[in-house]
């Protein structure tokens, strides 16, 4: 006999285990067909493909032939699919879960238990630290506690990512082959394939609506992407349209991530506790400021005075490091991105554009600075910065300066080194080589490269950093693409300070770049995603998990897994550098 798990669509019913007679091959469909006596049929969905090393995971749903029965969304089975990286998969009605793998007699079912699945039916975020935090939060209900998911389930999303990547590569090759074989046919389009005028008009209208919404109010309905202002009452992390539109019902799959998002949103208070500033930050922390581009723009112009009122109309007249906050990056094609010249160095005074009293000096931190600030140094002689107050004091910046809005980027890197790079820093010093750091997800940071000198200024002289920015090739500013070198995709190498070298490389991990081979200097010691909030985005999770196999360091830290420390910072406009 083999164990399988039933996931009822009715949330009031618990997961239960059933036993099916084992045979060669997958015996579960036959077992379920015997239960329904011909009133329907069994659909099998592969959640995790089986291999010679590990059994796979299958979902079996029963579709009724009766027209009178209405489908009921199965939130828990859909959440399990999301945990496996299948974010578009939706299940309805009762679903059964089984495993299929190789045994001594060949392919056969193996046991799966409720305890194996209990975490993945609540949240697609299967990190052990997150599961522990969720159990303690009380969100699941009084006395409800869930254990860690098994390794084979945690690796499901990564397995599916590699499978999809291989299939996409095969499809691309086949598509190119078809074009070569019959180019004339591929270039023709029949009348039935062409969109009607009505379809074109509808598409254009929706696009204009989206653009208008993005300009004035960036809170969009998660289902239909129209402007919306009704916040989810549970997680307070997404928006839906109001009645009579039925977006919340149609977009029921949000319920599969609602608990997870609620946990993420619960960190807002912690990330918004900035008592060390003089009050300039208060409007920034209000919902209308971070949900509307227009409100945020007026805040930067009228409250902080860091952007000229004519920046929108005459960008060249007010090109500072703040301008990207208004124009965004837009794949290197925004108004501010077009003015970025990677080969032109910019001083703090010109880049920040504030009174000199509000700007840190472009020099290294000294022992006297550290003593005056009243902070300690760690075992690697790095200043132990635990808050913005520490940073402002050690750099002689008054609390009235809004420089934290820009400093959050280099300070996050500094914090990641200090808290997740103890072993790599020590190993690099013992081997008399620089610490190798890769930053992924770089976009608008290209506008203020020179402010990353803060990282070098804060580090002691005996800590040398080789920092590499991995940038998608379509994200480079237009003024810099003409300088591209074909070898190694390398664009630029800069000596920002005497202990900090920056190399900018075009490409993406897993597609055009392998961190172990394609980047000068070899594998990184630490990989950091700046303000990417990598693990809150389902599409980034497989990347984060894949990165864990790279690198030299065998240390395991709070936010990282073997063999390389991987840190990602919270996605928000202002946060403590310690909030990584």
């Amino acid at each position: 006999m083999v164990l399988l798990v039933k996931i009822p669509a009715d949330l009031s019913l618990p997961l239960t285990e059933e036993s099916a007679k084992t045979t060669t091959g997958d015996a579960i469909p036959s077992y379920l067909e015997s239960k329904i006596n011909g009133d329907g049929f069994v659909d099998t969905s592969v959640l995790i493909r089986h291999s010679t090393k590990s059994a796979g995971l299958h979902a079996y749903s029963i579709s009724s032939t009766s027209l009178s029965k209405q489908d009921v969304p199965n939130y828990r089975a859909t959440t399990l699919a999301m945990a496996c990286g299948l974010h578009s998969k939706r299940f309805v009605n009762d679903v059964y879960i089984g495993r299929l793998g190789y045994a001594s007699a060949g392919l056969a079912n193996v046991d799966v238990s409720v305890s194996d699945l209990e975490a993945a039916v609540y949240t697609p975020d299967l990190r052990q630290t997150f599961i522990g935090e969720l159990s303690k939060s009380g969100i699941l209900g009084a006395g409800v506690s869930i254990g860690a998911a098994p390794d084979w389930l945690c690796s499901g999303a990564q397995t599916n990512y590699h499978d999809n990547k291989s299939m996409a590569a095969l499809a691309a090759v086949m598509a190119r082959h078809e074009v070569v074989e019959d180019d004339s046919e591929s270039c023709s389009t029949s009348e039935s394939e062409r969109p009607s005028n009505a379809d074109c008009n509808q598409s254009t209208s929706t696009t204009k609506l989206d653009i208008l919404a993005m300009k004035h109010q960036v809170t969009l309905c998660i289902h239909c992407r129209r402007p919306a202002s009704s916040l989810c009452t549970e997680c307070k992390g997404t928006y839906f349209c109001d009645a009579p539109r039925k977006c919340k019902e149609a977009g029921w799959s949000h319920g599969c991530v609602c608990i997870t998002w609620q946990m993420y949103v619960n960190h807002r208070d912690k990330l918004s506790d900035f008592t060390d500033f003089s009050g300039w930050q208060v409007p920034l922390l209000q919902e209308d400021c971070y949900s509307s581009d227009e409100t945020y723009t007026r805040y930067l112009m009228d409250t902080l005075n860091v952007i000229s009122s004519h920046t929108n109309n005459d960008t060249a007249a007010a090109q500072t490091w703040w301008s990207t906050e208004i124009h965004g990056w837009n794949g290197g094609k925004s108004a501010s991105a077009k003015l970025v010249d990677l080969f032109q160095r910019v001083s703090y005074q010109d880049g920040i554009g504030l009174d000199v009293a509000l700007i840190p000096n472009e020099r290294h931190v000294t022992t006297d600075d550290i003593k005056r600030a009243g902070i300690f140094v760690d075992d690697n002689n790095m200043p132990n910065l635990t808050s913005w107050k520490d940073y402002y004091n050690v750099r002689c910046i008054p609390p009235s300066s809004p420089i934290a809005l820009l400093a959050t980027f280099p300070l996050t890197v500094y914090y990641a080194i200090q808290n997740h790079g103890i072993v790599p820093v020590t190993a690099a010093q013992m081997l008399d080589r620089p610490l190798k750091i890769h930053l992924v997800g770089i976009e608008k940071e290209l506008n203020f490269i020179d402010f990353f000198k803060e990282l070098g200024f804060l580090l002691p002289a005996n800590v040398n950093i080789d920092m590499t920015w991995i940038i998608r090739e379509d994200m480079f500013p237009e003024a810099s693409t003409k300088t591209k070198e074909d070898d190694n995709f390398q664009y630029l190498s800069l000596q920002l300070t005497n202990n900090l070298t920056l190399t900018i490389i075009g490409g993406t991990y897993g597609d055009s770049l392998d961190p172990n081979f394609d980047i000068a200097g070899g594998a990184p010691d630490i990989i950091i995603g700046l303000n990417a909030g990598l693990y809150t985005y389902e599409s980034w999770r497989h990347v984060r998990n894949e990165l864990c196999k790279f690198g030299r360091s065998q240390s395991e830290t709070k936010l990282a897994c073997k063999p390389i420390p991987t840190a990602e910072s919270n996605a928000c406009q202002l946060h403590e550098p310690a909030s990584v």
Side-chain angles (χ1 to χ4, degrees):
M1 303 297 286
V2 65
L3 287 179
L4 62 152
V5 174
K6 179 182 179 181
I7 305 179
D10 187 344
L11 291 173
S12 67
L13 299 177
L15 273 63
T16 56
E17 295 175 357
E18 297 186 13
S19 297
K21 185 178 180 181
T22 56
T23 60
T24 302
D26 191 353
I28 296 179
S30 297
Y31 165 75
L32 295 177
E33 287 169 358
S34 67
K35 290 170 64 75
I36 59 178
N37 295 321
D39 184 20
F41 52 92
V42 178
D43 289 322
T44 302
S45 300
V46 178
L47 301 184
I48 303 175
R49 176 183 54 81
H50 65 268
S51 68
T52 55
K53 296 181 180 179
S54 177
L57 189 69
H58 290 190
Y60 308 87
S61 54
I62 299 175
S63 299
S64 176
T65 56
S66 175
L67 298 178
S68 61
K69 292 185 178 180
Q70 186 174 2
D71 289 334
V72 179
N74 194 317
Y75 290 90
R76 291 178 291 188
T78 303
T79 303
L80 173 62
M82 291 180 177
C84 296
L86 305 177
H87 302 288
S88 61
K89 187 68 178 176
R90 303 290 180 264
F91 286 108
V92 296
N93 305 326
D94 295 346
V95 174
Y96 294 81
I97 305 297
R99 297 192 71 196
L100 186 68
Y102 289 103
S104 56
L107 193 64
N109 295 113
V110 297
D111 288 341
V112 62
S113 65
V114 169
S115 61
D116 289 335
L117 306 180
E118 62 177 358
V121 298
Y122 281 111
T123 174
D125 189 341
L126 299 183
R127 290 175 297 165
Q128 189 169 348
T129 52
F130 179 82
I131 296 299
E133 185 180 353
L134 179 60
S135 295
K136 296 176 182 178
S137 68
I139 292 177
L140 301 179
V144 177
S145 178
I146 54 177
D151 291 342
W152 59 263
L153 183 54
C154 292
S155 63
Q158 188 174 356
T159 299
N160 283 318
Y161 163 70
H162 286 298
D163 287 348
N164 292 335
K165 181 181 170 183
S166 299
M167 291 300 296
L170 178 61
V173 171
M174 293 178 66
R176 288 196 297 269
H177 180 67
E178 290 174 358
V179 170
V180 170
E181 281 193 348
D182 197 346
D183 185 65
S184 60
E185 182 177 337
S186 66
C187 295
S188 64
T189 305
S190 66
E191 290 295 328
S192 62
E193 292 174 327
R194 296 190 185 113
S196 66
N197 290 335
D199 291 335
C200 291
N201 292 338
Q202 178 65 33
S203 176
T204 303
S205 175
T206 302
T207 301
K208 289 179 179 178
L209 185 63
D210 286 341
I211 294 173
L212 185 64
M214 290 301 292
K215 183 176 181 180
H216 297 286
Q217 178 185 327
V218 294
T219 55
L220 304 176
C221 173
I222 193 173
H223 178 67
C224 72
R225 309 311 294 164
R226 288 178 171 84
S229 58
S230 291
L231 199 60
C232 174
T233 56
E234 298 297 328
C235 71
K236 296 180 174 59
T238 193
Y239 292 83
F240 286 99
C241 290
D242 292 320
R245 298 192 63 84
K246 297 182 178 180
C247 290
K248 193 163 188 178
E249 291 81 359
W252 61 264
S253 60
H254 168 67
C256 302
V257 295
C258 191
I259 288 176
T260 305
W261 289 12
Q262 186 176 349
M263 289 293 296
Y264 297 154
V265 170
N266 284 346
H267 287 282
R268 276 181 180 167
D269 291 340
K270 176 182 176 182
L271 297 176
S272 301
D273 183 15
F274 302 105
T275 57
D276 300 327
F277 300 133
S278 62
W280 57 263
Q281 81 285 0
V282 174
L284 179 63
L285 304 175
Q286 307 304 311
E287 182 180 340
D288 60 343
C289 197
Y290 60 74
S291 64
S292 169
D293 282 354
E294 185 175 1
T295 304
Y296 182 50
T297 298
R298 298 313 313 177
Y299 168 76
L300 294 175
M301 290 180 178
D302 301 338
T303 303
L304 298 188
N305 298 312
V306 295
I307 294 181
S308 169
S309 60
H310 50 80
T311 298
N312 285 323
N313 300 321
D314 186 7
T315 309
Q319 172 65 11
T320 67
W321 293 339
W322 303 95
S323 59
T324 313
E325 293 295 296
I326 299 297
H327 300 287
W329 191 250
N330 191 27
K333 297 178 176 60
S334 69
S336 60
K338 287 180 179 179
L339 297 177
V340 172
D341 186 351
L342 300 182
F343 299 89
Q344 182 67 41
R345 306 280 51 85
V346 181
S347 69
Y348 281 12
Q349 182 90 41
D350 293 336
I352 298 171
L354 293 173
D355 186 275
V356 66
L358 303 177
I359 301 174
N361 291 320
E362 293 189 57
R363 64 168 179 80
H364 285 271
V365 169
T366 66
T367 303
D368 289 339
D369 292 328
I370 296 172
K371 289 181 178 178
R372 186 193 62 256
I375 60 177
F376 302 97
V377 295
D378 62 17
D379 293 339
N380 289 315
N381 208 32
M382 295 175 62
N384 186 28
L385 304 180
T386 61
S387 67
W388 281 115
K389 182 179 180 180
D390 289 344
Y391 169 68
Y392 270 51
N393 286 342
V394 81
R395 296 294 278 138
C396 302
I397 307 169
S400 58
S401 172
I403 197 65
L405 286 170
L406 291 177
T408 184
F409 297 93
L411 262 290
T412 297
V413 178
Y414 181 86
Y415 179 87
I417 296 171
Q418 187 173 51
N419 290 270
H420 305 292
I422 297 175
V423 172
V425 169
T426 303
Q429 290 177 326
M430 291 176 62
L431 297 172
D432 193 26
R433 65 165 177 82
L435 181 71
K436 302 179 186 299
I437 301 176
H438 287 185
L439 268 62
V440 298
I442 293 292
E443 291 180 8
K444 69 178 183 180
E445 293 83 0
L446 289 169
N447 190 29
F448 43 90
I449 287 176
D450 291 277
F451 199 45
F452 277 81
K453 287 190 286 188
E454 279 297 284
L455 178 60
F457 292 151
L458 288 168
L459 291 168
N462 65 333
V463 176
N464 294 297
I465 304 291
D466 273 353
M467 183 167 60
T468 300
W469 288 7
I470 311 297
I471 305 169
R472 274 175 39 191
E473 294 195 288
D474 58 346
M475 287 294 170
F476 276 87
E478 292 183 345
S480 301
T481 55
K482 64 178 181 292
T483 63
K484 173 183 174 181
E485 299 176 11
D486 291 332
D487 296 337
N488 274 349
F489 301 99
Q490 185 166 328
Y491 285 76
L492 185 64
S493 182
L494 303 170
Q495 190 74 39
L496 294 184
T497 66
N498 59 1
N499 59 343
L500 175 61
T501 301
L502 171 63
T503 301
I504 298 175
I505 292 181
T508 53
Y509 283 163
D511 294 325
S512 58
L513 294 176
D514 183 330
N516 285 309
F517 305 105
D518 294 331
I519 298 172
D525 298 298
I526 303 175
I527 300 172
I528 302 171
L530 269 182
N531 258 14
L534 295 182
Y535 222 85
T536 64
Y537 292 94
E538 288 90 346
S539 59
W540 271 92
R541 287 181 183 164
H542 66 269
V543 179
R544 190 266 190 187
N545 292 334
E546 186 175 10
L547 295 181
C548 293
K549 71 183 182 181
F550 295 126
R552 298 184 178 88
S553 172
Q554 296 299 316
S555 67
E556 183 168 6
T557 62
K558 185 176 180 181
L559 282 182
C561 53
K562 294 180 181 179
I564 180 169
T566 306
E568 57 272 355
S569 65
N570 296 280
C572 55
Q573 291 169 322
L574 181 66
H575 60 77
E576 293 281 5
S579 299
V580 179

